[in-house]
Amino acid sequence: MLSQPLSPASAAGPTAAGGAAGRPWRRALVAGGTAWAVSHLSYLLVIGTFWMGRAQWTAGNIFNRWDTGHYLRIAEHGYGKIYEDAAFFPLYPILIRAVESVTPFGFLGSALVVSNLACLGFLIILYRLMSSEIGDSTAERMLYALVAFPTAFFLNVGYNESLFMLLVTAALYCVRKGLWWHAGALGALTSATRSAGVLLGLAFAYEYLRQRGWNLRRIRADVLAAGLIPAGLVAYIAYTWVRFDDPLRFSHAQDTWNRSLSWPWESSWYILRRLLTDPFPYQTTVYNVLDLVTALGSVTLLALCVWGPWKLRRDQMYLVVYGAASLFLVLVFPVGPPMPLQSVTRYALEIIPVFIIMARMGSSIHLSRAYLFVALPIQTLLTALFLNYLWAG
């Protein structure tokens, strides 16, 4: 039997082949690590500035804000003490408890360790995925567009944001590479972090069929890997069913925030009406403006993924499928008034194709500077609000 011709890397021997395969990951480590380090330096400057003159602030209370308390309580005591805790999925608290059991950092410190390491991993894998999709320079601009985004500091505090995005990005990378069982397993971990992880099934299905030329006859047994994606959610449902006799306890707990199903445009229309009747800069008005701009901006940038000079290729639509589904879920399950779109500024971090378009637009130095001059001051302000236990997303 004739042997197949070798690629240049493989012809040079296993060491050279391994080096060639490793170079993209080394570039990703450098690019992601640099973006992570630079963003952390800015966070330290902001934290240090607002820490000065506040003797009552300690490391033990400055970072324990809002949702962090739920995760820490679950990590320390499990579910059951507070009904609302059921809305917060278990993987992040499990990791906090695991780190706390082998380090001297306590539960809050362990939460910060998990979040910050997950953020580093997320940026590295995101660059690795994007460098092959949109090129090195655009991928690098994308990283900085993301870490400069007004709510990007949530990737480093005691929230599950960075863990969720690490798992999402790793799953999408595996989907793109056709590593279906790896993608399914990562999807299961994602849906154990947040219920929205099941949306990865849409990207999986789209890319699986695309790689098979949309020919149903080419479907193989590895399509069953998609069934792993909701496994984390199913496991949590089973747990709450056995423990609390309520399989949908995670959903019922959302009633605390008056979340309910609505038309995707309903919240935006409510905010517009409210702005017309209450135009003065009340606190809720400022938040509503930020939320509305983020929601409408995300919809617009997603549309530009499909139409216009910066649109993505057809083979990259799996990213748009996941991003559009993520935004749609936020819009159809708003919080009750007076701020129905609250947290949309944080969830926008998860819409990866939006940042691809921002990176492509950032090739214009004028647009790039305009974005940074707007985004960074808002991020500084929101970080300060968060540290002072005021709403920030």
Side-chain angles (χ1 to χ4, degrees), residues 64-77:
N64 191 354
R65 300 290 187 258
W66 301 104
D67 292 358
T68 303
H70 293 282
Y71 293 119
L72 298 182
R73 186 166 46 246
I74 296 166
E76 186 172 4
H77 304 290

Side-chain angles (χ1 to χ4, degrees), residues 109-138:
S110 298
L112 296 176
V113 168
V114 173
S115 292
N116 282 272
L117 290 180
C119 178
L120 175 60
F122 161 51
L123 294 176
I124 291 171
I125 296 175
L126 180 64
Y127 179 87
R128 178 66 187 92
L129 173 62
M130 289 297 108
S131 64
S132 60
E133 294 284 6
I134 57 179
D136 290 345
S137 60
T138 308

Side-chain angles (χ1 to χ4, degrees), residues 247-306:
L248 296 179
R249 189 179 178 94
F250 75 94
S251 179
H252 298 153
Q254 293 283 351
D255 293 342
T256 304
W257 295 275
N258 296 317
R259 287 196 180 274
S260 59
L261 185 65
S262 70
W263 295 108
W265 57 82
E266 196 168 310
S267 296
S268 298
W269 181 236
Y270 168 85
I271 291 175
L272 285 172
R273 292 201 314 269
R274 186 177 177 88
L275 291 175
L276 291 174
T277 56
D278 293 323
F280 299 104
Y282 300 118
Q283 185 177 10
T284 55
T285 302
V286 175
Y287 288 131
N288 275 332
V289 168
L290 282 175
D291 294 339
L292 182 62
V293 169
T294 301
L296 296 181
S298 297
V299 170
T300 301
L301 290 171
L302 275 173
L304 291 175
C305 291
V306 183

Side-chain angles (χ1 to χ4, degrees), residues 303-320:
L304 291 175
C305 291
V306 183
W307 298 285
W310 301 293
K311 68 180 180 181
L312 277 63
R313 302 190 308 267
R314 288 187 179 181
D315 64 302
Q316 297 171 328
M317 286 297 116
Y318 72 103
L319 296 169
V320 180

